[in-house]
Amino acid sequence: MTYTVNGKTFSEEPDPGQCLRTFMRSLGHHGVKKGCDGGDCGACTVWLDGNPVHSCITPAFRADGHEVTTIEGLGTPEALHPMQKNFCAAPGFQCGFCTAGMIMTAATFTDEQKQDLPRALKGNLCRCTGYRAIEDAVNGVAEIEEAKPGHAVGTSVGAPAALDIVTGRAEYTMDVEMDGMLHLKLLHSPHAHARIVSIDTTAALAIPGVQRVYTWEDVPRKLYTTAIHTDHLVDPDDTYMLDNVVRFVGQRVVAVLADTIGAAEEGCRRVVVEYEPLPAVFDPVEAMKDGAPALHGSDDPFVQDPEHNILLEIHGHVGDVEAGFAEADVIHEGTYSSPRVQHAHLETHGAVAWMEDGRLNVRTSSQSPSIAKIKLSHLFDLRPDQLRVFCKRVGGGFGGKQEVIVEDLVSLATLDTGKPVSLEFTRTEEFTTASPRHPMTLTIKLGAKADGTLTAFSVHNISNTGAYGNHGGETLFAGGAAVAIYRCANKKYDAYSVYTNTVPSGALRGYGMTQPSFAVESAMHELAVALHMDPLELRRRNIVRPGDALVALEDGPDDVMFSEDGLGDCLDLVDAALKRNTIEGPAGDEWSVGVGTASSVHETAPPTEHISEAWATLGDDLVYELAVGTVEFGEGTSTAHVQICANQLGTTPSRVRLIQSDTDKTGFDTGAFASAGLFVAGNAVLNASNALRSRILAFAASHTGVPLADCSMDDDGVLCGDTRLTLAEVVAAGKARGIRFTEARKAYGSPRSVTSNTHGFRIAVNRITGEIRVLYSVQAADPGVVINPAQVRGQIEGGVAQGLGFVLTEDHHVDHTGTMINPNLRNYRIPTYADVPRTEVILVESQDSVGPMRSKGMAECCINPVAGAMANALFDATGVRIRELPLTPDRIFSTLLEHQKTVVSAAATA
């Protein structure tokens, strides 16, 4: 067969049945990405004779005699296609994994298609941006600015990797080929709970190309937790790499290693496993009852009540809640539930391992290579110097990659065989074996005086941690912070993290706060209605103010500090915006319009220990080198770190070379989660940059004999009084004296600040079909001092889009056997371009932070108020309260129908 790819013609025979995506990648065109393998996401888009196609569902043989263009052939960093320029300038990406496919699609648009982007972009998904930036890129709207020397902070500079991303040259985890690489595939349990009686690997090992078949008897028999935190003791050691007891449908049972993916998959099909099914329980309330099937034994000291499947229970209180309810004029009580939802980052979990100079190297999509290294060292009894873990660019995370769930098996196979080994999850595996958000059911009880003053605040939370406890305890603690947003003398928080025979839950943007925020803000709205008070006014009267303690689980000291009323400002700004934008709904009597708001506060770093170290160096090439362990997966920390460094060294971002997320080349970093990539690692960068500046100035002062106070730095040198030394002269003089200009500094996640967010929606609801149309969306947020305005806006827009999926469409459906029935992007339904309205973003700039340059991270907290605001708007429009997510049209229709029947019945009785 003859192919022309990016202008080069050659003869090549693809494998039988091979799709065009894998064929292009085998030829080295790694800009063609895998996000779904089902034609759902568009990350693999290429041109076939100039027409965009999803290469994952296009057979490779169909390109015979035709011209294929990949992102690498569209343009180069030196000669960009106009659409590539637009995506740089907008910027139209965050993690960038979808960007090549987006550009390949958008570059073919006619003017007519640009006027109908909901249809034109229906085949391309983005999980990061919220699509506004992509729309701007398509239409040539630019936001990127050039920074002046020493003034990078506060400027919308572009990401360091922008050119590589838009040209397909940015390396992601699986964009690597190695001679002799072997491939792992996994056999998953069909049972929710079973004991493995026997495993027959004979037929699998007979498959040509199969090298090894690993069972629970072939792996280290060590209990550990897959969750990533600096202190592993906050999570239960309840997991084996492979086990002889399976506790959820999808749990890995066998790993097959082969020369090809196809051989490994066939090997999995040939393994014969005999199971002894065990009783299963899927509902956490049922799991806590006497006589329920017990998932775990009592050998883990962190499991509080194994007989009742309770991993952890928390009971915190302040004051006397019962006395508070006794003095209340109005009491509201309601139960609110939210489902299991998935991160749906377009890059699935993956890792590659190999031996080099006697050391194990692991290239992974982790959010924390430093902690992954510690876990692998523990599992395989390796000294730290025997192991390197690193990341290239990571294609989205949102907390889903705050786990070690692929690195262990590739390490096992490489240590066993000495050969390179790769493991990449399919999209189905992502849905059925990775760790989604915890389903929670919260009962909120509020008491208030007639003037709206809260007298009692009680929260009862049941969290479904699934089959294993990774993040189960920490998210439960985080959820307790939901009671901190309002002042009340009497508070109570009772919470349970419960094992069930379902996929283990984990970390997801908002980390334990998103579900309680929905419940608390819905309950506050209902209380306001009962008090005949405006919901925003009720919040104003009760929100925490500067000087108040953030009282949550107990009335004790903490390390959280805030001195400015960011939350009050957010409330006022959203109130004004909603009154200013009174957009009318669609015509017709079946439509009703409603307005809803919700707020949240979020601590800027986790309460558990968070550490980061940064190294700043003036290189011999006169470029500042910044090394920091934080991973970049779309949250924008790389850009912010470079800006902070450039700002302090009096230069521009282009003069800073970033090295990151490599345990051989950077210092320790707990990980990029909980917005700590900016708050903690950013402080480390600030400290190291300031230390390097001080070192350079002190040397220049000594060298010139000018007082230090009279020395300052500019873009290319040091001015000492009337004498100016170029950086070249500084480096040369330093070498002559044996001095190297490099500094390392650490930062810790304490003390912490508070971010605040208020969201508002104006929506129209069709009372016949249950359809919701967003007429206006606005979020006010307090990010402290803004490092990069475009990035802050983009993070909020992306968080709102993800929040819309949480409240309206996304539901990880599990049937009566514990099996997920919609394990693909087409049926799971993350928001598309057509589903996401533009959100007006209003920033409250404050000095209320101990973060770098007094900034606060925005990637985490922006999702929290979205669901509550939407639920409250729905109630305002219809008079009907739905307390269970998602708010799908069928659920809205059914609830409205039942409400109407009740009204009619009551009228007839009267």
Side-chain angles (χ1 to χ4, degrees):
M1 295 182 182
T2 302
Y3 294 87
T4 301
V5 180
N6 297 332
K8 296 182 179 179
T9 302
F10 58 93
S11 295
E12 186 79 21
E13 288 290 330
D15 295 333
Q18 187 172 21
C19 71
L20 187 58
R21 181 190 68 81
T22 58
F23 185 49
M24 289 297 102
R25 288 182 62 82
S26 71
L27 297 174
H29 303 293
H30 292 144
V32 185
K33 302 301 184 192
K34 182 198 92 169
C36 65
D37 278 334
D40 298 329
C41 75
C44 68
T45 303
V46 301
W47 290 354
L48 193 58
D49 291 338
N51 298 310
V53 299
H54 288 184
S55 60
C56 69
I57 55 173
T58 302
F61 75 83
R62 289 191 179 171
D64 179 25
H66 298 276
E67 184 171 351
V68 178
T69 306
T70 72
I71 189 69
E72 293 93 341
L74 188 66
T76 66
E78 299 75 27
L80 295 176
H81 183 280
M83 191 56 69
Q84 291 171 315
K85 291 180 181 178
N86 288 356
F87 269 77
C88 274
F93 62 89
Q94 286 180 21
C95 85
F97 199 78
C98 73
T99 305
M102 283 284 183
I103 290 173
M104 295 305 292
T105 299
T108 66
F109 287 169
T110 63
D111 289 341
E112 182 179 1
Q113 286 175 302
K114 289 180 181 180
Q115 298 303 310
D116 189 10
L117 289 181
R119 177 178 294 275
L121 282 174
K122 66 179 181 179
N124 291 79
L125 296 176
C126 175
R127 191 55 156 171
C128 297
T129 65
Y131 296 101
R132 186 275 311 165
I134 291 172
E135 177 185 329
D136 283 355
V138 171
N139 292 318
V141 178
E143 197 166 355
I144 292 302
E145 305 168 312
E146 292 292 328
K148 296 179 180 179
H151 297 279
V153 168
T155 305
S156 294
V157 303
L163 284 176
D164 286 337
I165 287 169
V166 302
T167 57
R169 286 159 174 79
E171 277 193 52
Y172 291 82
T173 309
M174 306 310 293
D175 295 341
V176 60
E177 303 288 342
M178 291 186 177
D179 292 338
M181 182 181 286
L182 303 177
H183 302 271
L184 275 173
K185 296 302 290 186
L186 305 176
L187 175 66
H188 302 278
S189 169
H191 298 286
H193 199 192
R195 182 173 289 104
I196 294 174
V197 177
S198 65
I199 303 176
D200 186 350
T201 64
T202 306
L205 288 168
I207 299 294
V210 170
Q211 302 290 331
R212 300 282 195 282
V213 179
Y214 299 106
T215 73
W216 68 273
E217 296 180 292
D218 302 308
V219 302
R221 194 67 176 169
K222 289 185 178 182
L223 282 168
Y224 68 108
T225 173
T226 62
I228 281 177
H229 290 104
T230 299
D231 181 3
H232 73 95
L233 296 178
V234 301
D235 306 301
D237 290 333
D238 59 4
T239 304
Y240 289 111
M241 285 176 58
L242 295 172
D243 204 352
N244 63 336
V245 176
V246 292
R247 296 176 175 87
F248 69 97
V249 174
Q251 181 168 332
R252 59 194 195 186
V253 176
V254 170
V256 176
L257 182 68
D259 296 342
T260 65
I261 292 175
E265 289 175 336
E266 182 61 22
C268 288
R269 288 189 284 267
R270 298 292 184 92
V271 172
V272 179
V273 183
E274 182 184 353
Y275 298 94
E276 175 193 347
L278 300 172
V281 60
F282 308 115
D283 180 83
V285 174
E286 295 298 317
M288 289 191 290
K289 292 181 179 178
D290 290 338
L295 272 70
H296 293 273
S298 58
D299 55 343
D300 185 347
F302 292 95
V303 179
Q304 285 191 223
D305 186 353
E307 291 185 6
H308 296 92
N309 294 303
I310 297 173
L311 163 65
L312 177 72
E313 55 184 280
I314 300 171
H315 303 286
H317 73 277
V318 176
D320 187 336
V321 172
E322 293 307 317
F325 284 121
E327 66 173 304
D329 295 316
V330 173
I331 293 175
H332 166 73
E333 184 172 4
T335 298
Y336 308 83
S337 61
S338 54
R340 183 179 289 106
V341 296
Q342 236 280 338
H343 311 77
H345 35 69
L346 288 193
E347 180 200 48
T348 61
H349 284 80
V352 179
W354 67 95
M355 300 301 296
E356 186 174 321
D357 298 327
R359 300 175 71 225
L360 177 65
N361 287 255
V362 181
R363 171 173 167 151
T364 174
S365 59
S366 173
Q367 287 178 229
S368 176
S370 292
I371 305 296
K373 176 178 177 176
I374 291 172
K375 288 188 181 292
L376 295 176
S377 296
H378 163 71
L379 285 172
F380 299 107
D381 296 321
L382 297 173
R383 298 189 314 271
D385 64 303
Q386 293 177 302
L387 174 63
R388 172 197 180 199
V389 180
F390 69 101
C391 301
K392 292 295 187 177
R393 193 172 182 91
V394 175
F398 314 111
K401 294 169 181 174
Q402 197 183 337
E403 307 269 354
V404 172
I405 55 177
V406 288
E407 299 87 349
D408 52 350
L409 288 177
V410 295
S411 298
L412 170 78
T414 290
L415 289 170
D416 177 33
T417 65
K419 296 182 179 180
V421 175
S422 74
L423 170 60
E424 182 178 19
F425 273 10
T426 64
R427 181 55 59 184
T428 295
E429 286 175 316
E430 200 68 44
F431 276 114
T432 57
T433 70
S435 303
R437 190 187 296 282
H438 292 75
M440 289 185 182
T441 298
L442 296 105
T443 298
I444 312 295
K445 187 176 181 181
L446 302 172
K449 291 286 192 181
D451 65 358
T453 303
L454 289 177
T455 62
F457 192 162
S458 174
V459 176
H460 184 274
N461 183 3
I462 297 178
S463 175
N464 186 346
T465 193
Y468 297 94
N470 41 312
H471 297 284
E474 288 299 281
T475 51
L476 205 66
F477 273 108
V483 305
I485 187 172
Y486 296 114
R487 285 178 287 117
C488 184
N490 307 295
K491 294 181 177 181
K492 187 179 183 184
Y493 182 69
D494 296 302
Y496 304 83
S497 181
V498 186
Y499 286 119
T500 65
N501 292 111
T502 56
V503 61
S505 303
L508 206 163
R509 192 180 209 160
Y511 199 77
M513 277 288 291
T514 310
Q515 311 93 309
S517 291
F518 157 66
V520 168
E521 291 301 285
S522 296
M524 283 293 287
H525 190 108
E526 293 191 71
L527 179 64
V529 171
L531 287 165
H532 306 288
M533 183 180 291
D534 178 77
L536 273 172
E537 182 57 29
L538 178 64
R539 292 191 181 92
R540 283 193 186 96
R541 294 187 184 189
N542 291 285
I543 58 171
V544 291
R545 300 284 186 176
D548 293 338
L550 282 175
V551 178
L553 303 184
E554 59 184 18
D555 189 7
D558 58 38
D559 64 344
V560 180
M561 52 192 295
F562 68 111
S563 58
E564 297 181 25
D565 190 14
L567 180 55
D569 291 340
C570 289
L571 284 167
D572 293 342
L573 288 166
V574 167
D575 188 16
L578 288 168
K579 290 174 179 175
R580 182 172 68 242
N581 292 276
T582 55
I583 302 169
E584 295 185 1
D589 294 339
E590 72 272 22
W591 290 95
S592 297
V593 174
V595 173
T597 59
S599 296
S600 70
V601 295
H602 200 99
E603 295 163 352
T604 52
T608 50
E609 189 176 22
H610 206 105
I611 308 168
S612 184
E613 183 176 9
W615 305 337
T617 303
L618 174 58
D620 291 345
D621 58 358
L622 310 183
V623 172
Y624 295 104
E625 186 173 276
L626 176 64
V628 60
T630 301
V631 178
E632 175 61 64
F633 54 93
E635 77 281 24
T637 53
S638 295
T639 315
H641 291 165
V642 167
Q643 286 181 262
I644 292 168
C645 182
N647 206 80
Q648 301 310 102
L649 292 169
T651 188
T652 60
S654 62
R655 292 285 303 275
V656 179
R657 177 172 56 243
L658 183 64
I659 297 173
Q660 60 187 143
S661 55
D662 188 328
T663 60
D664 267 12
K665 300 177 181 178
T666 62
F668 181 88
D669 187 277
T670 296
F673 53 87
S675 292
L678 176 66
F679 191 80
V680 182
N683 263 332
V685 169
L686 178 70
N687 296 342
S689 301
N690 285 340
L692 178 60
R693 181 187 63 194
S694 297
R695 184 174 182 82
I696 292 171
L697 289 174
F699 175 82
S702 172
H703 185 71
T704 60
V706 175
L708 179 61
D710 295 331
C711 297
S712 61
M713 293 186 66
D714 61 23
D715 188 31
D716 191 39
V718 182
L719 185 65
C720 295
D722 296 329
T723 303
R724 186 177 187 279
L725 293 175
T726 66
L727 289 182
E729 292 171 325
V730 170
V731 170
K735 276 189 173 182
R737 293 169 53 181
I739 294 174
R740 183 168 174 244
F741 298 100
T742 183
E743 293 288 340
R745 292 292 186 274
K746 295 178 181 178
Y748 302 86
S750 181
R752 298 173 291 152
S753 307
V754 175
T755 58
S756 306
N757 303 72
T758 297
H759 200 93
F761 282 115
R762 181 182 300 277
I763 67 171
V765 183
N766 190 303
R767 297 191 307 278
I768 296 175
T769 65
E771 178 189 355
I772 290 178
R773 291 187 188 178
V774 177
L775 305 176
Y776 177 62
S777 172
V778 58
Q779 183 167 133
D782 173 17
V785 173
V786 176
I787 301 292
N788 188 305
Q791 285 196 165
V792 170
R793 180 186 179 192
Q795 288 299 318
I796 293 172
E797 290 168 335
V800 171
Q802 209 162 12
L804 284 169
F806 174 59
V807 68
L808 294 180
T809 63
E810 296 181 41
D811 194 352
H812 189 286
H813 287 284
V814 174
D815 68 12
H816 67 282
T817 69
T819 304
M820 186 190 183
I821 60 175
N822 59 326
N824 55 69
L825 293 174
R826 184 164 303 184
N827 295 322
Y828 178 74
R829 290 200 59 221
I830 68 171
T832 67
Y833 174 91
D835 300 316
V836 181
R838 283 217 174 193
T839 290
E840 181 179 356
V841 175
I842 305 172
L843 301 181
V844 178
E845 282 211 40
S846 71
Q847 299 291 317
D848 177 32
S849 179
V850 287
M853 320 297 291
R854 296 194 174 275
S855 65
K856 307 174 187 179
M858 271 288 113
E860 189 92 11
C861 53
C862 47
I863 192 175
N864 290 336
V866 176
M870 180 62 74
N872 291 336
L874 177 63
F875 174 81
D876 189 54
T878 64
V880 173
R881 171 63 62 174
I882 301 179
R883 296 172 177 163
E884 182 180 1
L885 299 183
L887 304 177
T888 53
D890 60 324
R891 179 167 284 157
I892 295 170
F893 170 80
S894 298
T895 306
L896 289 173
L897 182 62
E898 289 302 313
H899 176 70
Q900 184 63 29
K901 288 180 180 178
T902 302
V903 170
V904 170
S905 176
T909 302

